Amino acid sequence: MIDTRPLIVGAGPAGLRAAITLSDAGLHPVLVDHAPGIGGAVYANLRAQPNLTPKLTREARILRQDFDRVRPRVDLRLSTAFAAFDQTGTALLTGQAGMMFKPRAVIFATGARERIQPRPGWTLAGVSSAGALQIALKTTGTLPLGRLLLAGTGPLLYAIAAQMVAADRPPVAVIETGNPLRHPLMALRLPARVLTEATRYIGQLLLAGVPILSGTDLTRIETRNGALIAHTSRQGRWAEISVDHIGLHDGLARNDFGISAEMTGQTPVFQAGDCRSVLGRWAAEEDGKRAAEQVLHALNATPGRAAIAPDQRFIKTQTLLAKLFARAPALAAPELPDDTVICRCENRSLGDLKQALQTASEQTQTTARTLRLTERFGMGPCQGRQCLDWVAALTPDTTSFADLRGNRWPIKPVRVRDILDAPDFTADPSHQDLK
Amino acid sequence: MQPTDSYDLVIAGAGIIGASVAWHATQRGLRVAVIDAKGPAAAASGASDGAVSVASKRPGLMANLADASLCYAREMAQHNGILKGIFHPRPTFIFARSAPESAALDRLTRMLHDQSLSVSIHQDGAAQTSAISGLGKDITRVIELQGEAHMLGYQATHAYLSAAKCDLFWPRSLEAYEPGPEGVRVFTSAGEMNCAQLVIASGIGTMGLLPNVPMIARSGQLIVSDRGPASEPNLPGPLTSAAYLLDKTANGRGDAGLPVVIDPLRTGQVLIGSTREDHGTERQTDIAIVRRLLHSAVGCLPRLAERRIIRVFAGVRSASLDGLPIVGALPEEPNVICATGFEGDGICLSALIGREIAAHLATGQSSPDLAALTPGRFSSQEAIPA
Amino acid sequence: MSVQTILWNGTPIAFLPGDTIASALSRAGITEFGLRQTALPAAIFCGIGQCQNCLVSIEGIGVAEACLTLCDAEQSVRSLSDHRLTESAHD
């Protein structure tokens, strides 16, 4: 018999809630995550040591309890990557608990991508996403040695800064491109729990004396005497800050790389949570439940509702937050030097991109295919997750983002040995059909 | 109505063949426009592994044409030639794992000798004596060839198109044409164009346009690895199973084993290919087939097991029913020339085909070497070789 | 309880339960994990396995993301630009 259990990719709030919902309906889902623990990026501490900061929120505790309850019915495969899905309905998982099987439905709950604007020096060691610092803090309770700086824009920056304060490692400063504190009345329209959380973070930062430099750009990073020097600019005034680590964050974006309609064939496939629409962890959980109900509906296991749109409240909140942090397009291309690296995988610069676009425009427009094949944007191991937003922003509008992306598997790089080692349950008669 | 444009030559298809024709034609002073439904190297030329190979061709005419094209491309890579920095000579390694594969190597040896080709055998022996270390135990014999080369299709296409003084239009597809005494009226998705002569080199795009030229779309899946560790020696050239020769030369591969090619890129990445499937779906790649290819590749070069795969993709080649490319003026329509059906051999043959078509366009004389490729061969049943 | 270590390019580095290779190295003040083939430094960037910037070679596992791989006692971990890497692995 063939293994056809439904597959959920990603064990963050959306994936966990989807697994709970499917299990409660009597199914035995396969839940896969390439991280060694459950919780995704937002609840990376769901299984960490109890003494670690930050403490779990009430919602996280409920999620954990619910998942603990259905745990025996879920085939949880951690340290295992979802590698591929093809039009024959075959899914390939690789890593610690890899396998090939034919899930009769798939839910992608792969979370958001952190958007990080290219800046000179952003490829230096010691410069990471702010999210990476947060994960380290949540999973191990520690941060890298030395002075920390956070820069960019968006609400997550303040959450991370506050968590650093709570861990007794306050950042040297938060450099905020936008000016969110300038609109207190607009902020009051945020839902109470968002506002409470935001106020708490800001309060923690003010109490700890962490300067919030709003309306300020981090324009350049260089190394000097073993330290990172952050060059900032505020209304034409320049300053330098010497630190050891810089966490960058310029917002979140949906993460649907590698997934395309051609790949999914006849199998019902749904997206849930931030990979579908970046609405945060509470919305993600609800969306996970919704996706699971759609799976049940598609499989006729129970009458499910065909809900499509996420709750309007979450959309309103995110729209309001976007307004609060609004500023001119972050990547002011003419201001960046040409040697700024745009594609971190293939080491391709802004100058390379400009030259390609200029050469082409003398005769005819450049195509997305040319930007990929000849210029190598989007062709490295991250598959364009880091550069294509910026390449698309700099490219005439005829080159759409969708054309730039290859949407090809593997979804992330996987080792040949892992592909070959994955046991095949797509046709093996000796294998137990678990559900 | 769009204003009409008039050219000596309109070329439909900005793949490597169309680009080579365009450059060669402008060298002869023709006023040329190239149109393409998508853009340069958008189909097979962009999806190819870039092997310029004579050894993999069918003995006889195809091997001779490939060799002539290889010699000409070598010239164009010299001094300040158009292919300088794009055409890279490199050795080729062809191996056998079984008796049928070894027999294929014997046939290859005879072909290279009998046809006095410019590609020669540098070494023929056991795997241990090969210049490539770490070959798998299944490999019993390796032939190292010298004289072949690597040329990425999209790089050659770009080189030709950027050097050609011609007009480029995309996205613009050829929808129909109407030959007349004054030349050819060309109907495109963006209006009408006029030209003295039309070259149709749009690969599988040719299929709908020339109903009397029977073709099939043949898809192939390719696998791309990461760059690997800095310390790992890059392969000096492609490692090709003799089963691949059997597959390509239509001798029937029988129990020879899965054809596999491991082709090094200059970045340190490797391309692992390639299947031949009789469907034209560019988007379809499947896990089971990729696993079989990888299994075969790791059997040949065990260190590949530690590489990471970053991408799997499919390309579609246009193939003719008799396995020969289709090149020449259409019967009854001397001003419409087609150049298609290369089934992956376009990279190797592009230099020669571009030169010969341009010569034909400029002088009206066509090369006797290409006579067997004429599309007219499909007009009468008896002309189709068995 | 004795401190557990991994071997980073041959040098012992202490780790705590739950540490990934990336978190253990960065706690030890090691931010650069060698050079990538493009000459850019290998280092933690995204922290969640997307960017592929922190690849290292791990004994018994192979090339993997330092940010996703948990530490194991006495495990040897090397940077990909370390030329001593493959000589032992491939003979």
Side-chain angles (χ1 to χ4, degrees):
Chain A
M1 273 190 268
I2 303 169
D3 186 351
T4 65
R5 292 171 294 166
L7 170 66
I8 302 165
V9 182
L16 288 172
R17 185 53 70 188
I20 294 161
T21 309
L22 290 184
S23 302
D24 281 341
L27 299 185
H28 292 75
V30 175
L31 176 61
V32 64
D33 201 297
H34 64 180
I38 61 166
V42 64
Y43 296 140
N45 52 340
L46 215 51
R47 286 271 172 256
Q49 325 302 351
N51 57 339
L52 294 185
T53 53
K55 287 200 167 48
L56 285 180
T57 60
R58 188 175 147 268
E59 287 89 350
R61 279 199 308 274
I62 293 170
L63 181 62
R64 188 173 65 183
Q65 281 161 15
D66 287 352
F67 185 68
D68 284 343
R69 180 169 53 75
V70 300
R71 178 67 187 84
R73 287 199 293 280
V74 178
D75 181 0
L76 177 64
R77 292 169 183 249
L78 295 173
S79 296
T80 304
F82 167 74
F85 191 63
D86 70 16
Q87 73 286 342
T88 71
T90 299
L92 172 66
L93 312 181
T94 60
Q96 197 162 290
M99 67 166 166
M100 265 168 86
F101 73 123
K102 293 205 170 200
R104 65 188 128 146
V106 181
I107 295 174
F108 287 108
T110 50
R113 274 183 301 138
E114 213 175 345
R115 280 163 62 95
I116 294 164
Q117 178 191 315
R119 297 165 171 91
W122 74 314
T123 54
L124 293 168
V127 180
S128 72
S129 72
L133 293 174
Q134 188 189 33
I135 297 265
L137 182 59
K138 284 177 176 179
T139 53
T140 66
T142 54
L143 285 159
L145 293 176
R147 297 155 295 175
L148 305 160
L149 177 71
L150 292 173
T153 189
L156 186 65
L157 218 45
Y158 301 88
I160 297 173
Q163 286 157 5
M164 287 174 165
V165 169
D168 231 7
R169 292 287 310 282
V172 172
V174 176
I175 298 173
E176 164 68 50
T177 299
N179 219 334
L181 304 180
R182 188 189 278 171
H183 314 284
L185 289 177
M186 201 196 284
L188 284 175
R189 281 156 51 201
L190 286 167
R193 63 175 168 179
V194 175
L195 197 58
T196 312
E197 199 174 282
T199 316
R200 195 177 73 231
Y201 291 151
I202 303 287
Q204 279 174 294
L205 294 180
L206 293 178
L207 267 178
V210 175
I212 299 173
L213 310 174
S214 55
T216 306
D217 290 321
L218 173 55
T219 54
R220 183 159 64 90
I221 306 164
E222 62 182 350
T223 51
R224 196 186 297 159
N225 303 326
L228 294 170
I229 309 296
H231 293 261
T232 64
S233 163
R234 185 174 189 271
Q235 293 173 342
R237 281 201 303 277
W238 297 83
E240 287 183 13
I241 305 173
S242 176
V243 292
D244 299 294
H245 283 270
I246 298 175
L248 300 174
H249 175 83
D250 294 296
L252 295 168
R254 64 193 294 246
N255 176 19
D256 56 352
F257 273 74
I259 305 161
S260 72
E262 289 92 345
M263 287 168 57
T264 55
Q266 303 298 312
T267 313
V269 173
F270 303 96
Q271 289 170 40
D274 276 5
C275 76
R276 184 165 86 110
S277 181
V278 181
L279 297 174
R281 60 186 186 276
W282 299 313
E285 252 194 85
E286 255 185 42
D287 208 33
K289 183 161 183 278
R290 177 201 56 83
E293 283 166 353
Q294 282 187 299
V295 165
L296 294 172
H297 185 67
L299 299 179
N300 289 322
T302 67
R305 59 179 169 135
I308 298 298
D311 194 319
Q312 282 302 312
R313 285 174 305 152
F314 297 120
I315 295 174
K316 274 190 193 141
T317 304
Q318 290 302 318
T319 312
L320 202 53
L321 284 171
K323 271 190 199 154
L324 280 171
F325 287 91
R327 201 175 173 269
L331 182 69
E335 293 165 24
L336 285 176
D338 276 358
D339 60 359
T340 307
V341 173
I342 299 289
C343 163
R344 301 170 58 94
C345 293
E346 297 280 304
N347 197 2
R348 301 291 290 164
S349 70
L350 179 61
D352 294 329
L353 180 59
K354 279 187 189 167
Q355 201 180 359
L357 294 172
Q358 195 185 342
T359 313
S361 66
E362 284 163 13
Q363 293 193 314
T364 183
Q365 70 199 44
T366 195
T367 63
R369 181 127 172 136
T370 299
L371 287 177
R372 287 179 62 87
L373 285 178
T374 312
E375 303 302 324
R376 312 310 289 170
F377 290 103
M379 294 289 266
C382 93
Q383 302 179 330
R385 286 169 171 86
Q386 300 173 95
C387 73
L388 289 186
D389 287 324
W390 316 107
V391 173
L394 288 159
T395 303
D397 50 8
T398 40
T399 301
S400 75
F401 192 56
D403 286 342
L404 274 171
R405 311 194 312 178
N407 270 343
R408 292 177 173 121
W409 61 268
I411 305 306
K412 58 172 293 191
V414 285
R415 217 150 26 114
V416 171
R417 179 148 57 85
D418 291 340
I419 297 176
L420 296 179
D421 284 352
D424 183 353
F425 299 125
T426 57
D428 184 359
S430 64
H431 181 68
Q432 278 275 311
D433 184 1
L434 295 170
K435 176 71 195 182
Chain B
M1 273 300 284
Q2 299 251 349
T4 57
D5 286 317
S6 195
Y7 292 93
D8 294 326
L9 172 64
V10 168
I11 300 168
I16 192 169
I17 299 287
S20 173
V21 172
W23 183 76
H24 283 94
T26 55
Q27 293 293 102
R28 288 177 170 269
L30 298 186
R31 186 157 183 267
V32 178
V34 180
I35 64 174
D36 195 284
K38 289 182 180 161
S45 303
S48 71
D49 60 10
V52 182
S53 162
V54 169
S56 61
K57 303 296 175 287
R58 192 188 291 189
L61 175 68
M62 279 301 281
N64 278 333
L65 291 176
D67 199 57
S69 193
L70 176 66
C71 293
Y72 176 45
R74 243 183 242 135
E75 265 173 50
M76 288 198 287
Q78 302 286 313
H79 313 295
N80 286 320
I82 181 97
L83 298 179
K84 189 173 165 60
I86 289 169
F87 175 96
H88 304 279
R90 63 175 186 180
T92 307
F93 300 84
I94 308 183
F95 62 83
R97 293 161 293 187
S98 61
E101 281 195 324
S102 193
L105 291 184
D106 292 336
R107 277 197 296 279
L108 170 64
T109 309
R110 275 200 302 281
M111 175 182 90
L112 294 175
H113 178 264
D114 294 350
Q115 294 186 225
S116 320
L117 302 173
S118 74
V119 173
S120 59
I121 292 176
H122 180 66
Q123 198 186 12
D124 181 354
Q128 295 75 15
T129 64
S130 154
I132 298 177
S133 61
L135 289 174
K137 290 185 196 69
D138 298 347
I139 294 181
T140 52
R141 177 183 170 193
V142 182
I143 280 184
E144 178 179 344
L145 300 175
Q146 57 186 19
E148 297 193 332
H150 189 235
M151 178 167 77
L152 286 169
Y154 58 84
Q155 289 184 351
T157 303
H158 279 273
Y160 283 132
L161 290 179
S162 5
K165 303 257 181 301
C166 63
D167 292 340
L168 308 173
F169 301 100
W170 47 75
R172 182 181 288 195
S173 53
L174 173 62
E175 291 178 341
Y177 59 89
E178 188 180 289
E182 304 297 309
V184 186
R185 287 175 76 193
V186 177
F187 304 96
T188 76
S189 54
E192 192 180 324
M193 301 167 85
N194 284 304
C195 57
Q197 290 171 304
L198 169 68
V199 167
I200 302 176
S202 45
I204 51 162
T206 317
M207 292 174 81
L209 291 164
L210 304 173
N212 297 323
V213 178
M215 274 190 284
I216 34 178
R218 198 162 273 172
S219 173
Q221 302 188 32
L222 276 167
I223 304 161
V224 189
S225 84
D226 64 359
R227 291 167 185 256
S231 53
E232 187 171 296
N234 210 354
L235 290 174
L239 190 56
T240 303
S241 63
Y244 187 77
L245 308 185
L246 297 173
D247 204 36
K248 252 195 149 177
T249 54
N251 279 328
R253 86 176 106 93
D255 58 351
L258 190 67
V260 64
V261 180
I262 303 164
D263 204 331
L265 294 173
R266 297 167 73 76
T267 53
Q269 294 171 279
V270 292
L271 273 172
I272 300 167
S274 163
T275 58
R276 277 169 197 279
E277 298 152 62
D278 283 348
H279 61 77
T281 14
E282 196 172 320
R283 283 297 193 168
Q284 285 193 1
T285 48
D286 70 78
I287 296 167
I289 288 177
V290 164
R291 278 219 322 178
R292 279 194 6 238
L293 266 178
L294 288 176
H295 182 78
S296 181
V298 167
C300 304
L301 195 63
R303 66 171 175 261
L304 286 180
E306 300 308 314
R307 284 298 189 100
R308 286 155 73 94
I309 299 306
I310 67 168
R311 186 160 56 245
V312 170
F313 65 98
V316 181
R317 321 167 180 97
S318 65
S320 70
L321 284 187
D322 59 9
L324 288 178
I326 304 164
V327 182
L330 297 181
E332 322 287 323
E333 292 172 14
N335 292 325
V336 180
I337 290 101
C338 86
T340 187
F342 288 90
E343 206 191 334
D345 292 336
I347 305 295
C348 177
L349 293 174
S350 55
L352 178 80
I353 298 294
R355 184 183 71 187
E356 293 306 313
I357 289 182
H360 169 82
L361 294 168
T363 66
Q365 304 292 309
S366 61
S367 161
D369 296 339
L370 301 186
L373 307 184
T374 175
R377 69 185 190 269
F378 298 107
S379 311
S380 55
Q381 283 303 315
E382 61 274 18
I384 299 175
Chain C
M1 195 179 93
S2 66
V3 177
Q4 293 198 302
T5 58
I6 55 168
L7 289 172
W8 170 245
N9 290 333
T11 308
I13 303 286
F15 73 87
L16 301 173
D19 255 341
T20 60
I21 284 162
S23 62
L25 290 177
S26 72
R27 191 182 305 104
I30 298 165
T31 51
E32 186 174 316
F33 307 160
L35 287 178
R36 289 184 273 149
Q37 279 217 0
T38 54
L40 294 173
I44 306 172
F45 189 68
C46 76
I48 52 171
Q50 285 179 357
C51 77
Q52 304 291 308
N53 286 185
C54 68
L55 297 182
V56 291
S57 178
I58 304 162
E59 179 188 7
I61 292 179
V63 175
E65 298 91 342
C67 74
L68 290 180
T69 313
L70 292 175
C71 291
D72 211 348
E74 307 305 312
Q75 193 170 43
S76 169
V77 183
R78 292 188 178 278
S79 63
L80 291 187
S81 47
D82 185 336
H83 283 261
R84 290 164 298 182
L85 176 70
T86 39
E87 277 141 77
S88 54
H90 289 315
D91 46 43

